[in-house]
Amino acid sequence: MNRLYNDVGNLLDDKFKIAYNLTYYTLAGRTQVDTSRFRRAIWNYVQCLFGIRHDDYDYGEVNQ
């Protein structure tokens, strides 16, 4: 991405990292919850918003 637009790849990468780390392993007031599936769904949803889609990801997880 950086070859086409300077620094856009870094900006998008920062957004994706923030979205992936958003839950801090808490959910609905409970702590130490494995939120990896939720974080992966959010990660892929945010990438989809920017036009990046992965063939090997089941986008049905986003709705779950």
Coordinates of all heavy atoms in Angstrom, one line a residue:
M1 N 0.8 -1.2 0.0 CA 0.0 0.0 0.0 C 0.9 1.3 0.0 O 0.5 2.2 -0.6 CB -0.9 0.0 1.2 CG -1.8 1.1 1.3 SD -3.0 1.3 0.0 CE -4.4 0.4 0.7
N2 N 2.0 1.2 0.7 CA 2.8 2.4 0.8 C 3.5 2.8 -0.6 O 3.8 3.9 -0.8 CB 3.9 2.2 1.8 CG 3.4 2.5 3.2 OD1 2.4 3.1 3.4 ND2 4.1 1.9 4.2
R3 N 3.6 1.8 -1.4 CA 4.1 2.1 -2.8 C 3.2 3.0 -3.6 O 3.6 3.8 -4.3 CB 4.4 0.8 -3.5 CG 5.7 0.1 -3.0 CD 6.0 -1.1 -3.9 NE 5.1 -2.1 -3.6 CZ 4.8 -3.1 -4.3 NH1 5.4 -3.3 -5.5 NH2 3.9 -4.0 -3.9
L4 N 1.9 2.8 -3.3 CA 0.9 3.6 -4.1 C 0.6 4.9 -3.4 O 0.5 6.0 -4.1 CB -0.4 2.8 -4.2 CG -0.3 1.4 -4.9 CD1 -1.6 0.7 -4.8 CD2 0.1 1.6 -6.4
Y5 N 0.5 4.9 -2.1 CA 0.2 6.1 -1.4 C 1.1 6.2 -0.1 O 1.0 5.3 0.7 CB -1.3 6.2 -0.9 CG -2.3 6.0 -2.0 CD1 -3.0 4.9 -2.2 CD2 -2.6 7.1 -2.8 CE1 -3.9 4.7 -3.2 CE2 -3.5 7.0 -3.8 CZ -4.1 5.8 -4.0 OH -5.1 5.7 -5.0
N6 N 1.9 7.2 -0.1 CA 2.8 7.3 1.1 C 2.1 7.3 2.4 O 1.2 8.0 2.6 CB 3.7 8.6 1.0 CG 4.9 8.5 0.1 OD1 5.3 7.4 -0.2 ND2 5.4 9.6 -0.4
D7 N 2.6 6.5 3.3 CA 2.2 6.5 4.7 C 0.7 6.0 4.9 O 0.3 5.8 6.1 CB 2.3 7.8 5.4 CG 3.8 8.2 5.5 OD1 4.6 7.3 5.6 OD2 4.1 9.4 5.3
V8 N 0.0 5.7 3.9 CA -1.4 5.2 4.0 C -1.4 3.8 4.7 O -2.2 3.5 5.5 CB -2.2 5.2 2.7 CG1 -3.5 4.5 2.9 CG2 -2.4 6.7 2.3
G9 N -0.4 3.0 4.3 CA -0.3 1.7 4.8 C -0.1 1.7 6.3 O -0.7 0.9 7.1
N10 N 0.7 2.6 6.8 CA 0.9 2.7 8.2 C -0.3 3.2 9.0 O -0.6 2.8 10.1 CB 2.1 3.7 8.5 CG 3.4 3.1 8.0 OD1 3.6 1.9 8.0 ND2 4.4 4.0 7.7
L11 N -1.0 4.2 8.4 CA -2.2 4.7 9.0 C -3.3 3.6 9.1 O -4.0 3.4 10.1 CB -2.8 5.9 8.2 CG -1.9 7.1 8.2 CD1 -2.5 8.2 7.3 CD2 -1.9 7.7 9.7
L12 N -3.5 2.8 8.0 CA -4.4 1.7 8.0 C -4.0 0.6 9.0 O -4.9 0.1 9.8 CB -4.6 1.1 6.6 CG -5.3 1.9 5.6 CD1 -5.3 1.3 4.3 CD2 -6.7 2.2 6.1
D13 N -2.7 0.3 9.1 CA -2.3 -0.7 10.0 C -2.5 -0.2 11.5 O -2.9 -1.0 12.3 CB -0.8 -0.9 9.8 CG -0.3 -2.1 10.5 OD1 -1.0 -3.1 10.5 OD2 0.9 -2.1 11.0
D14 N -2.4 1.0 11.8 CA -2.7 1.6 13.1 C -4.1 1.4 13.4 O -4.5 1.0 14.5 CB -2.3 3.0 13.2 CG -0.8 3.2 13.3 OD1 0.0 2.3 13.5 OD2 -0.3 4.4 13.0
K15 N -5.0 1.7 12.5 CA -6.5 1.5 12.7 C -6.8 0.1 12.9 O -7.6 -0.2 13.8 CB -7.2 2.1 11.5 CG -7.2 3.6 11.4 CD -8.1 4.0 10.3 CE -8.1 5.5 10.1 NZ -8.6 6.3 11.2
F16 N -6.2 -0.8 12.2 CA -6.5 -2.2 12.3 C -6.0 -2.7 13.7 O -6.7 -3.5 14.4 CB -5.9 -3.0 11.2 CG -6.4 -2.7 9.8 CD1 -5.5 -2.8 8.8 CD2 -7.7 -2.2 9.6 CE1 -6.0 -2.5 7.5 CE2 -8.1 -1.9 8.4 CZ -7.3 -2.1 7.3
K17 N -4.9 -2.3 14.1 CA -4.3 -2.7 15.4 C -5.2 -2.2 16.6 O -5.5 -2.9 17.5 CB -2.9 -2.2 15.6 CG -1.9 -3.0 14.9 CD -0.5 -2.4 15.1 CE 0.5 -3.1 14.2 NZ 1.9 -2.5 14.3
I18 N -5.7 -1.0 16.5 CA -6.6 -0.4 17.5 C -7.9 -1.3 17.6 O -8.3 -1.6 18.7 CB -6.9 1.0 17.2 CG1 -5.7 1.9 17.5 CG2 -8.1 1.5 18.1 CD1 -5.8 3.3 17.0
A19 N -8.4 -1.6 16.4 CA -9.7 -2.4 16.4 C -9.5 -3.8 16.9 O -10.3 -4.3 17.7 CB -10.2 -2.4 15.0
Y20 N -8.3 -4.3 16.7 CA -8.0 -5.7 17.1 C -7.9 -5.8 18.6 O -8.3 -6.7 19.3 CB -6.8 -6.3 16.4 CG -6.6 -7.7 16.7 CD1 -7.4 -8.7 16.0 CD2 -5.7 -8.1 17.6 CE1 -7.2 -10.0 16.3 CE2 -5.5 -9.5 17.9 CZ -6.2 -10.4 17.2 OH -6.1 -11.8 17.4
N21 N -7.3 -4.7 19.2 CA -7.0 -4.7 20.7 C -8.1 -4.0 21.5 O -7.9 -3.7 22.6 CB -5.6 -4.1 20.9 CG -4.5 -4.9 20.4 OD1 -4.5 -6.1 20.5 ND2 -3.6 -4.2 19.7
L22 N -9.2 -3.8 20.9 CA -10.2 -2.9 21.5 C -10.9 -3.5 22.8 O -11.3 -2.8 23.7 CB -11.3 -2.7 20.5 CG -12.1 -1.4 20.6 CD1 -11.3 -0.2 20.7 CD2 -13.1 -1.3 19.5
T23 N -11.0 -4.8 22.9 CA -11.8 -5.4 24.0 C -11.0 -5.5 25.4 O -11.7 -5.6 26.4 CB -12.3 -6.8 23.7 OG1 -11.2 -7.6 23.5 CG2 -13.1 -6.7 22.4
Y24 N -9.7 -5.5 25.4 CA -9.0 -5.6 26.6 C -9.3 -6.9 27.4 O -9.3 -6.9 28.6 CB -9.1 -4.4 27.5 CG -8.8 -3.1 26.8 CD1 -9.9 -2.2 26.5 CD2 -7.5 -2.8 26.4 CE1 -9.6 -1.0 25.9 CE2 -7.3 -1.6 25.7 CZ -8.3 -0.7 25.5 OH -8.1 0.4 24.8
Y25 N -9.8 -7.9 26.7 CA -10.2 -9.2 27.3 C -11.3 -9.0 28.4 O -11.4 -9.7 29.3 CB -9.0 -9.9 28.0 CG -8.0 -10.3 26.9 CD1 -6.9 -9.5 26.7 CD2 -8.2 -11.4 26.1 CE1 -5.9 -9.8 25.7 CE2 -7.3 -11.7 25.1 CZ -6.1 -11.0 24.9 OH -5.2 -11.3 24.0
T26 N -12.2 -8.1 28.1 CA -13.4 -7.9 28.9 C -14.7 -7.9 28.0 O -14.6 -7.6 26.9 CB -13.4 -6.6 29.7 OG1 -13.4 -5.5 28.8 CG2 -12.2 -6.5 30.6
L27 N -15.8 -8.3 28.6 CA -17.0 -8.4 27.8 C -18.2 -8.3 28.8 O -18.3 -9.1 29.7 CB -17.1 -9.7 27.0 CG -18.2 -9.8 26.1 CD1 -18.1 -8.7 25.0 CD2 -18.2 -11.2 25.4
A28 N -19.0 -7.3 28.7 CA -20.2 -7.1 29.5 C -19.9 -7.1 31.0 O -20.6 -7.7 31.8 CB -21.2 -8.1 29.2
G29 N -18.8 -6.4 31.3 CA -18.4 -6.3 32.7 C -17.7 -7.4 33.3 O -17.2 -7.4 34.4
R30 N -17.5 -8.5 32.5 CA -16.7 -9.6 33.0 C -15.3 -9.5 32.5 O -15.1 -9.0 31.4 CB -17.3 -11.0 32.5 CG -18.6 -11.3 33.1 CD -19.1 -12.6 32.7 NE -19.3 -12.6 31.2 CZ -19.5 -13.7 30.5 NH1 -19.6 -14.9 31.1 NH2 -19.7 -13.6 29.2
T31 N -14.3 -9.9 33.3 CA -12.9 -9.8 32.9 C -12.4 -11.2 32.6 O -13.0 -12.2 32.9 CB -12.1 -9.1 34.0 OG1 -12.2 -9.9 35.2 CG2 -12.5 -7.7 34.3
Q32 N -11.2 -11.2 32.0 CA -10.5 -12.4 31.6 C -11.3 -13.3 30.7 O -11.4 -14.5 30.8 CB -10.0 -13.2 32.8 CG -9.1 -12.4 33.7 CD -7.8 -11.9 33.0 OE1 -7.3 -12.6 32.2 NE2 -7.5 -10.7 33.2
V33 N -12.0 -12.7 29.7 CA -12.9 -13.4 28.7 C -12.1 -13.6 27.5 O -11.4 -12.6 27.0 CB -14.2 -12.7 28.5 CG1 -15.0 -13.4 27.4 CG2 -15.0 -12.5 29.8
D34 N -12.1 -14.7 26.9 CA -11.4 -14.9 25.6 C -12.2 -14.3 24.5 O -13.3 -14.8 24.1 CB -11.2 -16.4 25.3 CG -10.5 -16.7 24.0 OD1 -9.9 -15.7 23.5 OD2 -10.6 -17.8 23.5
T35 N -11.8 -13.1 24.1 CA -12.5 -12.4 23.0 C -11.9 -12.5 21.7 O -12.1 -11.7 20.8 CB -12.6 -10.9 23.4 OG1 -11.3 -10.4 23.6 CG2 -13.4 -10.7 24.7
S36 N -11.0 -13.5 21.5 CA -10.3 -13.6 20.2 C -11.2 -13.7 19.0 O -10.9 -13.1 18.0 CB -9.3 -14.8 20.3 OG -10.0 -16.0 20.5
R37 N -12.3 -14.5 19.1 CA -13.2 -14.6 18.0 C -13.9 -13.3 17.7 O -14.0 -12.9 16.5 CB -14.2 -15.7 18.3 CG -14.9 -16.2 17.2 CD -15.7 -17.4 17.6 NE -16.7 -17.7 16.5 CZ -17.7 -18.5 16.7 NH1 -18.0 -19.1 17.8 NH2 -18.6 -18.6 15.7
F38 N -14.3 -12.6 18.7 CA -14.9 -11.2 18.6 C -13.9 -10.3 17.9 O -14.2 -9.5 17.0 CB -15.4 -10.7 19.9 CG -15.9 -9.3 19.9 CD1 -17.1 -9.1 19.2 CD2 -15.3 -8.3 20.5 CE1 -17.7 -7.8 19.2 CE2 -15.8 -7.0 20.5 CZ -17.0 -6.8 19.8
R39 N -12.7 -10.3 18.5 CA -11.7 -9.3 17.9 C -11.3 -9.7 16.5 O -11.1 -8.7 15.7 CB -10.4 -9.4 18.8 CG -10.6 -8.7 20.1 CD -9.3 -8.7 21.0 NE -9.1 -10.1 21.5 CZ -8.0 -10.7 21.4 NH1 -7.0 -10.2 20.7 NH2 -7.8 -12.0 21.8
R40 N -11.3 -10.9 16.1 CA -11.0 -11.3 14.7 C -12.1 -10.9 13.8 O -11.9 -10.4 12.7 CB -10.8 -12.8 14.6 CG -10.4 -13.3 13.2 CD -10.0 -14.8 13.2 NE -11.0 -15.6 13.8 CZ -10.8 -16.3 14.9 NH1 -9.6 -16.2 15.5 NH2 -11.7 -17.1 15.4
A41 N -13.4 -11.0 14.3 CA -14.5 -10.5 13.5 C -14.5 -9.0 13.3 O -14.7 -8.5 12.2 CB -15.8 -10.9 14.2
I42 N -14.1 -8.3 14.4 CA -14.0 -6.8 14.2 C -12.9 -6.4 13.3 O -13.0 -5.5 12.5 CB -13.8 -6.1 15.6 CG1 -15.0 -6.4 16.5 CG2 -13.5 -4.7 15.5 CD1 -16.3 -5.8 16.0
W43 N -11.8 -7.1 13.5 CA -10.6 -6.9 12.6 C -11.0 -7.0 11.1 O -10.7 -6.2 10.3 CB -9.5 -7.9 13.0 CG -8.3 -8.0 12.1 CD1 -8.2 -8.7 11.0 CD2 -7.1 -7.3 12.3 NE1 -6.9 -8.5 10.5 CE2 -6.2 -7.7 11.3 CE3 -6.6 -6.4 13.2 CZ2 -4.9 -7.2 11.2 CZ3 -5.3 -5.9 13.1 CH2 -4.5 -6.3 12.1
N44 N -11.6 -8.1 10.8 CA -12.0 -8.3 9.4 C -13.1 -7.4 8.9 O -13.1 -7.0 7.8 CB -12.4 -9.8 9.2 CG -11.2 -10.7 9.2 OD1 -10.5 -10.6 8.2 ND2 -11.1 -11.5 10.2
Y45 N -14.0 -7.0 9.8 CA -15.1 -6.0 9.5 C -14.5 -4.7 9.1 O -14.8 -4.0 8.1 CB -16.1 -5.9 10.6 CG -17.2 -4.9 10.3 CD1 -18.2 -5.2 9.4 CD2 -17.2 -3.7 10.9 CE1 -19.1 -4.3 9.1 CE2 -18.2 -2.8 10.7 CZ -19.1 -3.0 9.7 OH -20.1 -2.1 9.5
V46 N -13.5 -4.2 10.0 CA -12.9 -2.9 9.7 C -12.1 -3.0 8.4 O -12.2 -2.0 7.6 CB -11.9 -2.5 10.9 CG1 -11.1 -1.3 10.5 CG2 -12.8 -2.3 12.1
Q47 N -11.4 -4.1 8.1 CA -10.7 -4.2 6.9 C -11.7 -4.2 5.7 O -11.4 -3.6 4.7 CB -9.9 -5.4 6.9 CG -8.6 -5.3 7.7 CD -7.7 -6.5 7.6 OE1 -8.1 -7.5 7.0 NE2 -6.6 -6.4 8.2
C48 N -12.8 -4.8 5.9 CA -13.8 -4.8 4.8 C -14.4 -3.4 4.5 O -14.6 -3.1 3.4 CB -15.0 -5.8 5.2 SG -16.2 -6.0 4.0
L49 N -14.5 -2.6 5.6 CA -14.9 -1.2 5.4 C -14.0 -0.5 4.5 O -14.4 0.4 3.7 CB -15.0 -0.5 6.7 CG -16.2 -0.9 7.6 CD1 -16.1 -0.2 9.0 CD2 -17.5 -0.7 7.0
F50 N -12.7 -0.8 4.5 CA -11.7 -0.2 3.7 C -11.4 -0.9 2.4 O -10.5 -0.7 1.7 CB -10.4 0.0 4.5 CG -10.4 1.1 5.5 CD1 -10.7 0.8 6.8 CD2 -10.2 2.4 5.2 CE1 -10.8 1.8 7.8 CE2 -10.2 3.4 6.1 CZ -10.5 3.1 7.4
G51 N -12.3 -1.9 2.1 CA -12.2 -2.6 0.8 C -11.2 -3.8 0.8 O -10.9 -4.3 -0.3
I52 N -10.8 -4.2 2.0 CA -9.9 -5.4 2.0 C -10.7 -6.6 2.5 O -11.2 -6.6 3.6 CB -8.7 -5.1 3.0 CG1 -8.0 -3.8 2.6 CG2 -7.8 -6.3 3.1 CD1 -7.0 -3.3 3.6
R53 N -10.7 -7.6 1.7 CA -11.5 -8.8 2.0 C -10.5 -10.0 1.9 O -9.7 -10.0 1.0 CB -12.7 -9.0 1.1 CG -13.7 -7.9 1.3 CD -15.0 -8.2 0.7 NE -15.7 -9.4 1.0 CZ -16.6 -9.6 1.9 NH1 -17.0 -8.5 2.6 NH2 -17.2 -10.7 2.1
H54 N -10.8 -11.0 2.7 CA -9.9 -12.2 2.8 C -10.8 -13.4 2.3 O -11.9 -13.6 2.9 CB -9.4 -12.5 4.2 CG -8.5 -11.3 4.7 ND1 -7.2 -11.2 4.3 CD2 -8.8 -10.3 5.4 CE1 -6.7 -10.1 4.9 NE2 -7.7 -9.5 5.6
D55 N -10.3 -14.2 1.4 CA -11.0 -15.3 0.8 C -11.1 -16.4 1.9 O -12.1 -17.2 1.8 CB -10.3 -15.9 -0.4 CG -10.4 -14.9 -1.6 OD1 -11.3 -14.1 -1.6 OD2 -9.6 -15.0 -2.5
D56 N -10.2 -16.5 2.8 CA -10.2 -17.6 3.7 C -10.9 -17.3 5.0 O -10.9 -18.1 5.9 CB -8.7 -18.1 4.0 CG -7.9 -16.9 4.6 OD1 -8.3 -15.8 4.5 OD2 -6.8 -17.3 5.1
Y57 N -11.6 -16.2 5.1 CA -12.3 -15.9 6.4 C -13.8 -16.0 6.2 O -14.3 -15.6 5.2 CB -12.0 -14.4 6.8 CG -12.7 -14.0 8.0 CD1 -12.4 -14.5 9.2 CD2 -13.8 -13.1 8.0 CE1 -13.0 -14.2 10.4 CE2 -14.4 -12.7 9.1 CZ -14.1 -13.3 10.3 OH -14.8 -12.9 11.5
D58 N -14.4 -16.6 7.2 CA -15.9 -16.8 7.1 C -16.5 -15.6 7.7 O -16.6 -15.4 8.9 CB -16.3 -18.1 8.0 CG -17.8 -18.3 8.0 OD1 -18.5 -17.7 7.2 OD2 -18.2 -19.0 8.9
Y59 N -17.1 -14.7 6.8 CA -17.7 -13.5 7.2 C -19.0 -13.6 8.0 O -19.5 -12.7 8.5 CB -17.8 -12.5 6.0 CG -16.5 -11.9 5.6 CD1 -15.7 -12.6 4.7 CD2 -16.1 -10.8 6.2 CE1 -14.5 -12.0 4.3 CE2 -14.8 -10.2 5.8 CZ -14.1 -10.9 4.9 OH -12.8 -10.3 4.5
G60 N -19.5 -14.9 8.1 CA -20.6 -15.2 8.9 C -20.3 -14.9 10.4 O -21.2 -14.7 11.2
E61 N -19.0 -15.0 10.8 CA -18.6 -14.8 12.2 C -18.9 -13.3 12.6 O -19.1 -13.1 13.8 CB -17.1 -15.1 12.3 CG -16.7 -16.5 12.5 CD -15.3 -16.7 12.9 OE1 -14.7 -15.7 13.4 OE2 -14.8 -17.8 12.7
V62 N -18.9 -12.4 11.6 CA -19.1 -11.0 12.0 C -20.5 -10.9 12.5 O -20.7 -10.1 13.5 CB -18.9 -10.1 10.7 CG1 -19.3 -8.7 11.0 CG2 -17.4 -10.2 10.3
N63 N -21.5 -11.6 12.0 CA -22.9 -11.5 12.4 C -23.1 -12.2 13.8 O -24.0 -12.0 14.5 CB -23.8 -12.1 11.4 CG -23.8 -11.2 10.1 OD1 -23.6 -10.0 10.2 ND2 -23.9 -11.9 9.0
Q64 N -22.2 -13.2 14.1 CA -22.4 -13.9 15.4 C -21.8 -13.1 16.5 O -22.1 -13.2 17.6 CB -21.6 -15.3 15.3 CG -22.2 -16.2 14.3 CD -21.4 -17.5 14.1 OE1 -20.5 -17.7 14.9 NE2 -21.8 -18.3 13.2

